[in-house]
Structures are given as structure tokens and as C-alpha cells.
Amino acid sequence: MHPPVFLLSLWEMKILLLPILFLFQADPVAQEIETIVSKSGLGSAQLGIYIAESRTGRILFEKDSQKERILASNTKILTCAAALDRLGPEFLFETALYIDREGEEATLYVSGNGDPNLSARVFDGDPTKLFRKWASELRRKGIRKIRGVVLCNSGFDQETRPPSWKKHPQWHWYAAPYGTFSLNENCVDLLVGPGRPGKAGTITSIPKTAYITLRNQTKTVTGNTSKPWGFDRKDNQNIIRAWGRISTLMKPKTYWVSIHDPYRFFGTVLLETMKAEGLSVSHSIQINQEETAKQYTFVDRHTSPLGKSLQICLTVSQNFYAEMILRTLGKEAEGFGSRDNGIKAVDSFLQKAGVRQYEQSDGSGLSRGNRMSARDIGRIFEYMEDHRHAKTFRNSLAVNGGSSGTLRKRMTAASYRGRVQAKTGHISGVSNLSGYIKAGDGTSYVFSFLMNHWKKGSPHTLQHKLCMYLIDHRKNR
């Protein structure tokens, strides 16, 4: 005999399925977040949104989270996390001075591994501070004349800019070149202020150097605001032109203009500093691909920890730092310092973090060829949450309403200040924010908001509303 067959009506099926349907109803939190996104006014923007509890991994909300988006400076997350994982925060950048001495004369030999920190930012406004220390030490040793300097670029390639940066004018500080020997982030700091009415404005260079030629074509004018003015520099030259009109009411302000050829810049300012400190100098600069320095007499070594460099890179989003870190990572991981080897080392880290699908073409994100999904950015933050260097990574991120960094002016109300630790990312048509949020009840979230190609609306406004919702939503229930 066959068992009896029971036919259910449509109504009976609905009654039986109600408990199951209830379980799959949309989470009210996800619904509320979707409403915030839908009302953002970003229209046809390409979004990638991922939000999860950082400890449990429970996903609160996703929107196109598996589609690759342009990362902009969120690329620095990849570079810095990989460097921290491979090298650790105590890894040292080193720049060492040796001399080949004959009596009171000496040739300087400098070796290094790509320290980005020889700058006014780190040396209390004086990028030549280390060079002055070296001059003092040489005088103490009885050296009176410098025959020249040899920069030993052993173990690194000679690339100073990725091919993908071609459309960015070389003089912009955010597209500054990189090199094993780099000074003041390969920029001159130009302090600009008004002169006398009708005369040129005042412009002072730090460091003071003959390496650049400054053509001051500005004019000081009376009035409440400065008229359009600015700087430019032709590619592959070091002639900087200042142009336009400067108001007599303008307060002096510092601007940054990058230089061409970081190695020659480093060597020139080093020798100029030696001369300014009382040594006789022959201006001979050689760049040597061999490590010849260590066969000569050691004089001094300056070191900078990686942890400090990561904080500058991520907090203020300094492209130069990211590119320098990437090359040094490549050298330590693959035996030769280059952008390609750095990217290879980043890939090894991402494989461990569970990230498989992405594109990377530089260390900083200035190139539009850096792409990854919001979910995979989230994976990196989740991986670093339990990492042995989790505290260093988290404390290197910008903090909303903090004293410095790219989030210092964002979400500054007292109830929100200090609850977002994240990395921003901006290039034309791209506005990203990814990191950690600590909610009012102590819950920690990982998030990635990737926003590309919007034509209207404000990505920042949406990012703020999402962050504030996550901070508040539990206490409102």
C-alpha cells in the first residue's frame, strides 16, 4: 500500500511557513541602515559598504560589498598592515655616515634603507638637523675639508615615481618622488606672506638651498583676500615659479612643493650644510649601486622605528611615506627594494588575511589602479584586530575629532568624538572611509565605506550618518 497523500491549501502552507519566514525577516538594523543609504542623495554612485561586529564577525549590513572599488588612500591600509605584519613596529630605518679619510680631508659615504623621517616634520622644523650633527662630529674628529659624498643605493632600484602617476604634475607635494635617500619628504617648505604693496610677496625656503631656483613673480596687493596665486614647476626641473597676487592681509603660511631627483637633493643639501657649519666642501655627488660605505670608517647612525612611520602614513595620509615603506618592505621580504617586490610582499600578507581578489599598483593609492571590495577591506581590519601588533595598527589610524590627522575636523561633537579610528581615501570621484567604531555601549565594529563615481550628494555626510548611527543605535533601543 502507498502511504496517504495530504494536499495542503495555499493558506495552510503559509501558516506552516510563518515561523520560518519570521526568522528570515529583514533585520531592523539592516533596514535602518538601508534607509540612511537610500536617502543619501548619492544617486548612481558606485558604493561598497560592509559593517560587522569586530569580535564576533557578525555582519550587520552589506551593500555591493563584494564588488571591487577604487581604494584611493585606503590602499595605505594594505601597505601598512603588511609592513607591520612582516617587519614589526620596532623595525628600524637606518641612515649611516662613513668617511674615507686622508688627514684633514674626507669623502662622505652614506648608506641607508629608505628612511622617510629625515624631515622638518620629525626634526622640529629643521630638515638639516641630522646633517648639522654630522658636521659637528666631523669637526670633532679633526676633519676640515669634504671632498664629496657618495650615496650607496645598494639593494634598491632607482625608480622615483610609478608610471601610473603620469597625469599628476611632479611639483605637487602629494606626488613627491621617493628614493632610498630622501630629505624633507622630497619637498621644499615655502613660507609665503605679503610684501610691500606693489612689490613681490615674501617667500622663504626650508631648507635654504641652491638646489632649487625660485622665481618669485607674485605681487602684493591691498584688499581683504588674496587673488588667485600659486606655484608650478616644470617636470624634471627644479625651477619653481610663484605667481599671482597676495593680499597685504594674508597671514604667512607654509606650502610644500616637491623637487626633482631626491638623491641629488639629499646630497646637495648635505654638502651645503657641511659648508654652512664651517667645513670646506667640494660639491661632488655620486650615486653608487654598490654597498661600499661599510668598508670605510664609521661615524654615526640615525634610526627611526617603523611604528612611528606607520602613524604618520596612516594618520595624515602621507603618500611619500607609503611609497617608502612599500620599497623597504620589498627589500626585507624579497631581497631587493622595489615597488613590484613591495606589492609581492603585500600579496603574501593578504593571502594570510583571506583576501584573494584585488589590484594594487602603488603603495599610497594615488593611482586609480588600486581596487578591492569593501568586504575584503573589512577582512583586513578583522585580521588585524587579533594580530600580535593590533594595538600599534589601531593607534596608527586617524581619530575623529583628534588633535591631528585627516579626521580631526569630522564628527567632532562630544558624544561622537574619538569613537572612530579609520583611514580616509580621496582622489577625484572617490571618497572612502574604513576602520573601527566603538559604539556607546562598548561594542566594536569593523566597517568599510567605499564610494566611487558619485555625481551628486555628499559622501562625507553619508559616512558621518552611518558612523553616528552605529555609535548610537543600541542605546536607542
Side-chain angles (χ1 to χ4, degrees):
M1 292 181 60
H2 295 289
V5 177
F6 296 96
L7 298 177
L8 299 178
S9 68
L10 183 59
W11 173 253
E12 290 171 324
M13 291 178 65
K14 286 184 177 179
I15 294 297
L16 290 172
L17 290 172
L18 271 177
I20 300 173
L21 292 172
F22 178 79
L23 291 174
F24 287 90
Q25 281 183 339
D27 180 357
V29 171
Q31 287 181 323
E32 290 169 359
I33 294 174
E34 179 61 47
T35 298
I36 294 171
V37 174
S38 65
K39 291 182 177 180
S40 66
L42 291 181
S44 60
Q46 295 180 2
L47 305 181
I49 299 176
Y50 175 84
I51 304 169
E53 289 185 358
S54 60
R55 286 300 179 187
T56 66
R58 185 174 74 89
I59 298 172
L60 271 71
F61 183 81
E62 291 184 286
K63 185 177 183 67
D64 290 336
S65 67
Q66 298 185 63
K67 294 184 178 180
E68 291 183 8
R69 303 299 187 207
I70 299 171
L71 290 180
S73 282
N74 269 205
T75 305
K76 295 181 178 73
I77 298 165
L78 286 59
T79 302
C80 291
L84 186 59
D85 176 74
R86 174 78 189 201
L87 306 177
E90 302 304 320
F91 172 83
L92 294 177
F93 291 102
E94 298 186 359
T95 306
L97 176 66
Y98 299 80
I99 55 172
D100 177 13
R101 179 174 186 170
E102 292 183 9
E104 294 185 345
E105 298 185 3
T107 298
L108 308 182
Y109 285 80
V110 185
S111 69
N113 63 348
D115 190 349
N117 296 289
L118 309 181
S119 66
R121 183 195 302 274
V122 176
F123 288 156
D124 302 318
D126 179 11
T128 66
K129 185 176 181 178
L130 176 62
F131 296 166
R132 291 190 295 105
K133 177 188 175 185
W134 285 354
S136 176
E137 185 64 21
L138 292 173
R139 289 199 312 270
R140 190 184 68 79
K141 290 179 177 294
I143 301 298
R144 298 291 178 263
K145 181 177 180 180
I146 306 300
R147 296 191 297 260
V149 59
V150 179
L151 304 178
C152 300
N153 189 37
S154 173
F156 289 88
D157 69 4
Q158 298 185 56
E159 180 184 84
T160 58
R161 283 169 59 97
S164 57
W165 287 14
K166 285 182 179 179
K167 77 169 192 173
H168 297 281
Q170 290 184 9
W171 67 270
H172 285 304
W173 66 268
Y174 62 78
Y178 44 82
T180 309
F181 299 99
S182 293
L183 179 69
N184 205 40
E185 300 170 26
N186 292 328
C187 290
V188 287
D189 301 351
L190 300 176
L191 179 62
V192 180
R196 294 182 178 180
K199 302 296 184 180
T202 62
I203 304 177
T204 303
S205 170
I206 299 174
K208 293 181 180 179
T209 175
Y211 190 71
I212 62 164
T213 299
L214 180 60
R215 293 180 178 171
N216 187 350
Q217 298 175 1
T218 63
K219 183 178 181 180
T220 304
V221 297
T222 57
N224 292 328
T225 59
S226 294
K227 303 295 181 182
W229 70 278
F231 298 99
D232 57 45
R233 173 177 67 79
K234 291 183 178 180
D235 288 355
N236 305 320
Q237 296 183 13
N238 284 303
I239 300 172
I240 299 173
R241 183 176 73 99
W243 53 270
R245 299 185 176 189
I246 297 176
S247 168
T248 53
L249 301 179
M250 174 184 173
K251 293 182 179 180
K253 184 176 179 180
T254 299
Y255 298 85
W256 304 273
V257 177
S258 74
I259 53 82
H260 169 64
D261 192 341
Y263 298 93
R264 298 285 172 187
F265 179 51
F266 184 101
T268 298
V269 177
L270 171 57
L271 293 176
E272 288 175 334
T273 304
M274 294 288 160
K275 184 175 181 180
E277 293 295 309
L279 296 168
S280 175
V281 170
S282 173
H283 286 271
S284 170
I285 301 170
Q286 298 179 45
I287 295 91
N288 192 341
Q289 292 301 118
E290 303 294 326
E291 181 52 89
T292 54
K294 294 179 181 179
Q295 64 184 283
Y296 299 110
T297 304
F298 172 77
V299 176
D300 185 62
R301 177 180 291 106
H302 174 79
T303 61
S304 305
L306 174 64
K308 182 177 182 179
S309 301
L310 295 178
Q311 187 172 34
I312 293 172
C313 182
L314 291 173
T315 300
V316 301
S317 198
Q318 177 54 289
N319 293 345
F320 166 78
Y321 268 73
E323 303 304 334
M324 294 286 280
I325 291 169
L326 184 72
R327 295 173 79 249
T328 298
L329 173 61
K331 184 177 189 298
E332 296 299 317
E334 302 295 332
F336 185 73
S338 67
R339 179 171 47 85
D340 287 343
N341 278 348
I343 290 172
K344 185 176 179 181
V346 171
D347 181 70
S348 296
F349 163 75
L350 292 177
Q351 296 297 317
K352 291 196 300 182
V355 176
R356 303 286 187 270
Q357 198 73 25
Y358 74 99
E359 297 176 32
Q360 185 177 11
S361 57
D362 64 19
S364 62
L366 185 56
S367 168
R368 302 185 76 85
N370 300 290
R371 302 178 67 89
M372 185 179 283
S373 71
R375 178 180 285 188
D376 281 339
I377 288 288
R379 279 198 178 116
I380 296 172
F381 281 100
E382 289 164 351
Y383 183 82
M384 295 305 295
E385 181 78 357
D386 296 317
H387 196 275
R388 65 190 184 282
H389 300 309
K391 184 176 180 180
T392 298
F393 179 71
R394 192 160 189 155
N395 290 342
S396 296
L397 298 166
V399 179
N400 68 304
S403 60
S404 63
T406 56
L407 292 178
R408 68 188 183 282
K409 296 181 179 180
R410 298 178 64 175
M411 297 172 282
T412 57
S415 57
Y416 301 112
R417 187 183 304 124
R419 292 192 173 276
V420 180
Q421 292 177 283
K423 182 71 202 74
T424 54
H426 298 93
I427 52 178
S428 178
V430 177
S431 179
N432 301 330
L433 185 68
S434 303
Y436 301 107
I437 289 175
K438 187 175 183 180
D441 69 343
T443 304
S444 180
Y445 297 102
V446 166
F447 72 94
S448 181
F449 308 148
L450 307 182
M451 303 178 180
N452 292 187
H453 306 301
W454 76 93
K455 295 182 180 179
K456 56 182 179 179
S458 168
H460 276 199
T461 298
L462 175 56
Q463 291 162 7
H464 294 176
K465 287 183 177 180
L466 291 171
C467 288
M468 291 186 290
Y469 173 84
L470 291 170
I471 293 168
D472 287 340
H473 81 96
R474 283 182 181 269
K475 68 181 182 182
N476 292 335
R477 295 190 179 278

